[in-house]
Amino acid sequence: KTSGTSGSDPSKLHEVIGASDVKSAGNSPLNHFRIIFKEALASVFGSLACVYTGQPLDTIKVRLQAQPKMFKGAFATLGLTVRKEGVLSLWKGSSPALAGSLAENIIAFVINKQLKTMLPQKGKGNFHQPILSGAITGALTAFPLCPFDVIKCRQQVHESSKGKRPISAVQLTLKIIKEEGARNLFRGLKPQIIRDSLFFGMFFGFYDIALEYSERFSTLPKEMRYVVAGGCAGVAGWVVSMPFDVLKSIIQTSS
């Protein structure tokens, strides 16, 4: 997922930052601030890495979803886009994607922190809590993320001549507000809520399952187990949420 998986799970703060940092934090506000700052900084760099490495694939995906008559396959879409609009056109929509990813991670961090105090703590083999927590987080983060996704998707399907500067995110936002009304920045909100609930619920649940079983039956280093668990969780999340992502792309790119 371009946005949403780039930040680390707040419930695993001690694993990401280091157990010694959390242990030494004590009750000192300064130490707690340093831990949160590290987490926020990691989230920013994670968002940057996710958006700018994944955006070309996301652009191809959105074009296939929203314009099936024009684009017939991933490689055909790649070739046609590069020929007609240039290589840089594959990074259309990067600015709203990055802004949305950062906003989503900040909000998800706050929501997860609250949910940890409200929901019963998970134990070994109990995966209900991360699934429920992820689903609630996804549903709530969909609201602030939706306008960024509308702008991103519209930029991605907007055709521009090779060498000519495409429409900017600010220009497109003002154009939508002027011609369609501000409410249209929330087009496709319902499928977005369903998509993000399914994705986050499956992602956090499957992540915990994959991590627990890799600890039991694998000799991989701890860092590699996180990579494998995250990759498997991402695939599982997309499998269940993709149909609603298709609906979202079609609705959001229609004026």
Side-chain angles (χ1 to χ4, degrees):
K1 192 170 181 289
T2 302
S3 54
T5 59
S6 49
S8 53
D9 180 358
S11 67
K12 297 174 181 61
L13 190 63
H14 65 286
E15 295 174 357
V16 178
I17 294 170
S20 59
D21 284 347
V22 176
K23 189 177 179 181
S24 64
N27 295 318
S28 167
L30 180 60
N31 281 333
H32 278 295
F33 173 78
R34 285 166 61 188
I35 290 172
I36 292 169
F37 177 75
K38 283 182 181 181
E39 175 70 8
L41 197 62
S43 182
V44 169
F45 281 104
S47 296
L48 281 166
C50 264
V51 168
Y52 286 101
T53 57
Q55 194 67 9
L57 296 173
D58 189 66
T59 297
I60 292 168
K61 175 183 72 73
V62 171
R63 288 192 166 197
L64 282 167
Q65 290 172 333
Q67 299 169 316
K69 291 182 180 179
M70 186 182 299
F71 301 105
K72 300 299 181 183
F75 290 108
T77 304
L78 173 64
L80 185 60
T81 301
V82 171
R83 274 199 314 274
K84 290 181 70 175
E85 302 174 55
V87 175
L88 291 179
S89 65
L90 295 170
W91 277 269
K92 282 181 177 180
S94 294
S95 298
L98 179 59
S101 178
L102 291 170
E104 185 180 36
N105 284 336
I106 291 167
I107 294 164
F109 182 89
V110 174
I111 292 170
N112 262 294
K113 194 173 181 183
Q114 292 301 315
L115 289 174
K116 274 184 69 181
T117 63
M118 294 165 61
L119 297 174
Q121 293 300 302
K122 63 188 179 193
K124 285 283 184 182
N126 178 17
F127 305 110
H128 298 91
Q129 191 263 354
I131 292 171
L132 181 60
S133 175
I136 295 171
T137 300
L140 294 177
T141 55
F143 288 91
L145 182 62
C146 189
F148 294 108
D149 260 17
V150 170
I151 303 302
K152 175 189 76 71
C153 290
R154 293 279 187 99
Q155 278 191 295
Q156 287 172 319
V157 299
H158 184 268
E159 273 197 68
S160 56
S161 303
K162 199 170 185 178
K164 192 176 181 181
R165 190 170 183 176
I167 189 168
S168 71
V170 174
Q171 289 172 326
L172 188 54
T173 304
L174 295 174
K175 186 174 184 288
I176 291 171
I177 293 171
K178 184 180 177 181
E179 296 179 4
E180 303 173 37
R183 286 182 63 183
N184 266 24
L185 290 172
F186 288 89
R187 283 183 73 87
L189 179 60
K190 288 178 183 178
Q192 178 131 19
I193 290 170
I194 298 170
R195 182 201 73 168
D196 289 356
S197 296
L198 289 171
F199 183 89
F200 274 95
M202 180 60 75
F203 182 87
F204 284 123
F206 202 94
Y207 180 86
D208 275 29
I209 293 170
L211 200 59
E212 184 171 318
Y213 278 91
S214 68
E215 285 172 357
R216 286 186 194 176
F217 305 110
S218 171
T219 56
L220 289 170
K222 186 170 71 171
E223 291 78 9
M224 187 54 66
R225 290 203 299 267
Y226 294 148
V227 173
V228 172
C232 292
V235 171
W238 272 120
V239 166
V240 297
S241 63
M242 181 59 78
F244 297 97
D245 186 65
V246 174
L247 292 176
K248 181 191 79 72
S249 295
I250 292 170
I251 295 169
Q252 290 180 339
T253 54
S254 62
S255 57

